[in-house]
Amino acid sequence: MSSSVAPPAQPTALYGGTGGRRVTVRDIAAAKERHEKWPMLTAYDALTARIFDEAGIPVLLVGDSAAMVVYGYDSTIPVTVDDLIPLAAAVVRGSKRAMVVADLPFGSYQTGVPEALAAATRFLKETGAHAIKVEGGRRILPQVEAMVSAGIPVMGHLGLTPQSVNVFGGYRVQGRGQAGEELMADAKALEASGAFSVVLECVPEELAARVTSSLSIPTIGIGGGNQTDAQVLVWQDMAGLTPHTAKFVKKFADIGTVLGDAARSYAEEVVSGVYPAPEHTYH
């Protein structure tokens, strides 16, 4: 009597995959091993989170970019933990498969380990987020190590780190010349400290490619060329809602024009008395 062993299950693609569970850091690590590229988008509410989740986006970032696209500030600096917690909770509720990563905003982790642990713990406990993101390299390694040791997955962020825009003197490309070697050292230090991935923002393509090939953890590019393991965009930039965007942004739709046309059509029908019509009226 012969017996047969079932072949091992094929790995589920990170983008567009299906399944009854959330994407995890292990799934992301496995995608790196398979040389599989994947997309990440920001999300700030349940409705768009559901749309992106159903579109197969495997990772949703509740970015501190909410400071600008949700709250109307000029930079990410003013937004607080209390501002972002309701947004992260909404994104978690609106999604089923995507891993939800929450940004730790400026001032919530830079001052030391206790503050970083407290802020990150709030996000995981109060919102259900699955990981957090922090900006910086070697200067915040104690915070990263402490959070990872506490069971909090950490995504790093190097290059143009918007929370440090005042130090950089504006939104400029980072990592040219010797600064590129410093960024490489920061990336390797984050990996050694237990970060499960790292965002590379506004850095030369050659540098992003070198960092990507040097790390065993995935890199996520935003203005770093197409050699990183993944890409991320602010969804309002991607969908054409933002009037002025950086060079690296491609607008994949013109939602701004669509919404404006819809608002004008609605207004004209209200003014003319066409809406509400009988089919929109209770009798």
Side-chain angles (χ1 to χ4, degrees), residues 141-155:
L141 290 189
Q143 291 94 314
V144 173
E145 291 170 350
M147 288 187 284
V148 172
S149 295
I152 301 169
V154 176
M155 176 182 287

Side-chain angles (χ1 to χ4, degrees), residues 167-197:
V167 174
F168 295 147
Y171 295 94
R172 302 180 180 183
V173 174
Q174 304 295 311
R176 290 189 170 121
Q178 181 58 33
E181 302 311 311
E182 296 295 324
L183 187 146
M184 176 69 80
D186 280 338
K188 290 183 175 180
L190 284 170
E191 178 182 42
S193 297
F196 73 92
S197 59

Side-chain angles (χ1 to χ4, degrees), residues 22-76:
R22 293 277 185 176
V23 170
T24 69
V25 294
R26 293 187 65 180
D27 297 316
I28 290 173
K32 170 93 173 184
E33 294 176 1
R34 298 193 300 268
H35 305 287
E36 176 190 331
K37 291 181 177 289
W38 48 274
M40 179 166 82
L41 282 173
T42 63
Y44 314 95
D45 61 79
L47 179 61
T48 51
R50 177 184 62 79
I51 293 170
F52 298 155
D53 191 61
E54 292 178 353
I57 304 299
V59 183
L60 297 176
L61 172 65
V62 186
D64 59 1
S65 47
M68 294 174 282
V69 298
V70 175
Y71 292 110
Y73 294 114
D74 292 331
S75 75
T76 65

Side-chain angles (χ1 to χ4, degrees), residues 95-280:
S95 58
K96 294 181 179 179
R97 178 178 179 266
M99 171 192 285
V100 177
V101 181
D103 254 334
L104 292 193
F106 180 74
S108 67
Y109 63 94
Q110 289 92 342
T111 54
V113 168
E115 293 79 7
L117 281 173
T121 299
R122 282 195 65 190
F123 274 103
L124 267 64
K125 289 178 70 69
E126 297 179 32
T127 76
H130 313 108
I132 60 92
K133 182 172 77 64
V134 290
E135 296 182 5
R138 285 162 289 178
R139 61 186 171 84
I140 61 162
L141 290 189
Q143 291 94 314
V144 173
E145 291 170 350
M147 288 187 284
V148 172
S149 295
I152 301 169
V154 176
M155 176 182 287
H157 186 154
L158 297 172
L160 175 57
T161 46
Q163 293 175 11
S164 302
V165 66
N166 291 326
V167 174
F168 295 147
Y171 295 94
R172 302 180 180 183
V173 174
Q174 304 295 311
R176 290 189 170 121
Q178 181 58 33
E181 302 311 311
E182 296 295 324
L183 187 146
M184 176 69 80
D186 280 338
K188 290 183 175 180
L190 284 170
E191 178 182 42
S193 297
F196 73 92
S197 59
V198 59
V199 173
L200 301 175
E201 181 169 358
C202 282
V203 300
E205 182 178 40
E206 179 273 335
L207 174 61
R210 281 203 298 128
V211 173
T212 299
S213 63
S214 298
L215 300 185
S216 62
I217 60 174
T219 58
I220 304 159
I222 176 168
N226 67 1
Q227 299 304 304
T228 53
D229 298 300
Q231 297 288 332
V232 62
L233 284 175
V234 172
W235 87 257
Q236 289 92 339
D237 292 348
M238 177 274 296
L241 278 174
T242 310
H244 305 290
T245 57
K247 176 182 179 180
F248 60 77
V249 172
K250 177 179 178 178
K251 295 185 179 182
F252 290 83
D254 190 4
I255 301 300
T257 296
V258 172
L259 280 177
D261 289 346
R264 282 184 287 271
S265 294
Y266 160 73
E268 289 165 4
E269 290 199 7
V270 169
V271 170
S272 66
V274 172
Y275 177 82
E279 62 265 30
H280 307 120

